[in-house]
Amino acid sequence: MIQAADIEAIERATLAAVAPDEVLEIEGWLVGLDPGTIRRAASAVPLSHNLPHDPAVLDAIEAAYRSRGLSPAFRVADAPGLEAVRAELTRRGYGFEQPTLVKTATVVAVRAVTDRDPAEVADRPDDAWAAVFLGEGFDPVDGAYRVKALSRSPGAAYGAVREGEAALAVGAGAFGHGWVSFHGMRTDAARRGEGLAGRVLAGLAGEAAARGIDRAFLQVEEKNAAARSLYARAGFTPAWRYFYWSRTA
């Protein structure tokens, strides 16, 4: 079972990695304030899975969004200790969707996911790295925003499997609060199924090991069976599940 301190560390590391325009801390919640397409960067998340329900706190979070012209949004684990929070959000007219898993692993296990050469790792993304997000099968608006957000992630590393001058598969590793977290895993649509994403994970895990970090986490939509299969081979096991909450009307 994951410890309370690790839940808080993972949530803080997550928000730092996706680099919202602004982050507030309101009575046990981290509030990401951002107009872009990355929902983790644009929602409020509790730092504990045992948080008492306080309508005034939710009022303050909603007011923070509205004062910036943003729609209030939350991401809340389906842990028993947050049942009262979820009930209050329902009472206020919020609905939930997009079940997402937080998974953890050891860096050693992630490095061992492939026996092929790991991806190259750089301390900044280049045009070829960014181009993968804009390729066939990806939403160009969302892709451009993810490139922008991940490019400003503090202290991140950027992995890429390359062929000539082109990048075929990419990802980012963020380092903070004792963890490495993986974000923006993308593979050229024409080259999926070749094990390239595993090489990206291995390369970024190697960078984490070089920095003395031995714990890893990532987040994956529950419906993404292909990604979940890869992450299971890399040693990731579920820590918790959350949903995004927004007003349905």
Side-chain angles (χ1 to χ4, degrees):
M1 178 178 292
I2 194 159
Q3 301 299 307
D6 291 330
I7 293 169
E8 179 174 347
I10 285 172
E11 296 298 8
R12 291 188 182 279
T14 294
L15 216 57
V18 296
D21 278 355
E22 185 180 2
V23 179
L24 300 180
E25 192 161 342
I26 299 176
E27 298 296 329
W29 291 75
L30 279 185
V31 183
L33 299 158
D34 196 276
T37 59
I38 300 177
R39 297 185 79 174
R40 292 174 212 163
S43 52
V45 63
L47 292 172
S48 168
H49 288 176
N50 288 286
L51 196 67
H53 162 53
D54 185 345
V57 173
L58 296 184
D59 288 345
I61 293 171
E62 289 179 330
Y65 282 103
R66 290 176 180 139
S67 69
R68 292 158 177 82
L70 302 172
S71 298
F74 298 81
R75 55 184 177 92
V76 182
D78 57 2
L82 294 172
E83 183 176 356
V85 172
R86 296 192 299 272
E88 176 62 17
L89 289 174
T90 299
R91 190 192 70 79
R92 293 180 182 222
Y94 288 83
F96 60 91
E97 61 178 350
Q98 198 175 325
T100 303
L101 301 172
V102 177
K103 294 190 162 195
T104 62
T106 66
V107 165
V108 169
V110 180
R111 289 182 75 185
V113 69
T114 181
D115 58 5
R116 299 171 64 189
D117 290 341
E120 300 174 9
V121 177
D123 61 4
R124 60 179 56 86
D126 61 11
D127 290 343
W129 187 94
V132 178
F133 288 82
L134 307 176
E136 182 180 352
F138 298 119
D139 181 326
V141 174
D142 177 68
Y145 193 83
R146 289 177 186 274
V147 168
K148 178 182 176 181
L150 292 172
S151 296
R152 69 190 185 204
S153 181
Y158 303 88
V161 177
R162 301 177 186 272
E163 188 172 82
E165 296 185 357
L168 305 179
V170 298
F175 309 92
H177 299 275
W179 295 80
V180 57
S181 56
F182 302 110
H183 306 268
M185 296 290 295
R186 295 288 188 277
T187 300
D188 185 304
R191 303 298 294 268
R192 291 173 186 165
E194 299 181 16
L196 303 180
R199 294 171 62 188
V200 174
L201 286 176
L204 293 170
E207 178 65 21
R211 299 184 186 210
I213 295 171
D214 59 9
R215 298 187 297 172
F217 77 88
L218 52 74
Q219 301 183 26
V220 58
E221 287 190 43
E222 193 170 53
K223 68 181 181 182
N224 191 340
R228 289 174 61 189
S229 178
L230 166 64
Y231 300 148
R233 295 196 301 274
F236 283 93
T237 58
W240 70 86
R241 182 177 68 166
Y242 67 80
F243 292 82
Y244 288 98
W245 290 73
S246 58
R247 278 208 167 86
T248 56

